[in-house]
């Protein structure tokens, strides 16, 4: 990842760079420098011990990304305890990272079959074109409709970690509870705090299931085969939008540079990239 960033810093923009949105052309060099800083400094310490301090937005004491993330995770742990006591999560906003892309499906039985039996699939067909999707239907369930024996895969560890770092920064900026979905393979491989974020083993799950069933979930895609959320990530004030209490992000790449170009959050995230 470091070599890729260094190469990007020295490689000129392609001749068709006019197709790139202006916000990317204007801020790309600075964003690349910051992503390099995040890769070098933030992730190696992400598994730092969680502290019992206020939310990072409450003061100026936690400028470093790891400290801010630790406080954020401590904040959502205290929030969970309050919710469990009251039985209500009406005012809680969630950010669920679903590591993966939008359209890949696999029919593999074992690991050795993955390459040969995974493919990009179109959304399921209905009577007159694309099948309709109900508001409460999970995207994975929708993509697998009528495709028995298939499943939606997760990317490799490296891609998962890059999307996790991006989602962590997004959670800090948006003040949403961070959870990771459909990555149960990590349950016995990774320790806290990452293992505490796995939705399938989390006490938050009943509340997520309830929101999903109510049809209020919103899906954003920041993946190699669907980057439709890049515009929102670059421009949306994530403290106030989207209005949905359940925001799910599908990603298999490092989308944090889009947040560094977001005028609402760039200053805060740039401070988190600084060396303490």
């Amino acid at each position: 990842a470091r070599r890729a960033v260094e190469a990007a810093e020295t490689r000129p923009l392609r001749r068709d760079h006019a197709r790139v949105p202006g916000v990317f052309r204007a801020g790309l060099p600075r964003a690349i420098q910051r992503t390099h800083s995040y890769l070098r400094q933030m992730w190696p310490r992400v598994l730092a011990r969680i502290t019992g301090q206020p939310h990072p937005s409450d003061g100026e004491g936690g400028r470093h990304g790891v400290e801010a993330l630790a406080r954020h995770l401590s904040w959502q742990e205290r929030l969970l305890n309050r919710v469990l006591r009251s039985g209500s999560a009406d005012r809680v906003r969630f950010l669920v990272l679903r590591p993966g892309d939008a359209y890949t499906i696999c029919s593999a039985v074992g690991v050795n079959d993955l390459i040969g039996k995974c493919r990009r699939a179109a959304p399921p067909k209905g009577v007159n074109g694309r099948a309709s999707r109900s508001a409460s239907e999970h995207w994975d369930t929708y993509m697998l409709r009528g495709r028995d024996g298939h499943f939606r895969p997760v990317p490799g560890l490296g891609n998962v970690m890059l999307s996790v770092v991006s989602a962590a920064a997004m959670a800090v900026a948006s003040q949403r509870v961070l959870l990771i979905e459909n990555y149960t393979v990590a349950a016995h491989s990774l320790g806290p705090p990452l293992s505490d974020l796995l939705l399938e083993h989390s006490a938050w799950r009943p509340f997520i299931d309830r929101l999903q069933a109510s049809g209020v979930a919103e899906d954003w895609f920041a993946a190699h085969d669907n980057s439709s959320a890049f515009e929102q990530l670059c421009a949306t004030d994530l403290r106030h939008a989207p209005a949905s209490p359940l925001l799910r992000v599908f990603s298999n790449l490092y989308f944090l540079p889009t947040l560094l170009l977001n005028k609402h959050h760039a200053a805060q995230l740039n401070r988190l990239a600084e060396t303490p």
Side-chain angles (χ1 to χ4, degrees), residues 184-212:
T184 54
V185 66
H188 304 293
S189 303
L190 300 172
L194 190 57
S195 59
D196 297 334
L197 304 181
L198 302 180
L199 175 60
E200 288 76 8
H201 301 280
S202 173
W204 286 115
R205 182 170 183 174
F207 302 98
I208 298 295
D209 291 344
R210 208 170 301 155
L211 289 172
Q212 184 68 40

Side-chain angles (χ1 to χ4, degrees), residues 150-169:
H150 288 75
F151 67 92
R152 291 266 294 137
V154 295
L157 178 62
N159 290 82
V160 171
M161 292 301 104
L162 291 176
S163 63
V164 167
V165 171
S166 303

Side-chain angles (χ1 to χ4, degrees), residues 215-230:
V216 300
E218 182 168 337
D219 293 340
W220 285 12
F221 294 91
H224 75 278
D225 61 350
N226 185 338
S227 57
S228 57
F230 279 12

Side-chain angles (χ1 to χ4, degrees), residues 2 11 25 35 49 51 54 97 100 103 129 132 171 183 187 200 212 215 227 234 239 251 254:
R2 185 181 69 252
R11 185 168 57 243
R25 293 201 304 273
T35 59
R49 180 173 58 87
T51 63
L97 172 67
Y103 301 114
S132 61
Y183 197 52
E200 288 76 8
Q212 184 68 40
S227 57
C234 281
R239 293 283 182 88
S251 181
Y254 193 63

Side-chain angles (χ1 to χ4, degrees), residues 1-6 8-9 31-46 66 158-159 161-166 253-257 260 272-273:
R2 185 181 69 252
R3 288 196 297 270
V5 170
E6 290 172 344
E9 288 174 338
I32 287 175
Q33 292 174 357
R34 290 302 182 186
T35 59
H36 193 176
S37 177
Y38 268 90
L39 287 170
R40 187 178 66 249
Q41 298 173 24
M42 184 176 179
W43 182 245
R45 302 178 185 173
V46 159
V66 173
N159 290 82
M161 292 301 104
L162 291 176
S163 63
V164 167
V165 171
S166 303
L253 47 75
Y254 193 63
F255 63 86
L256 195 149
L260 295 174
L272 300 186

Side-chain angles (χ1 to χ4, degrees), residues 111-130:
V111 175
N112 294 332
D113 299 322
L114 284 177
I115 295 178
K117 296 188 178 180
C118 290
R119 61 186 174 87
R120 176 188 171 97
K125 293 183 178 180
V127 177
N128 298 310
R130 177 182 291 194

Side-chain angles (χ1 to χ4, degrees), residues 13-27:
L13 291 175
R14 294 173 49 184
R15 293 179 179 230
D16 59 352
H17 69 278
R19 300 180 185 176
V20 181
V23 65
F24 279 99
R25 293 201 304 273

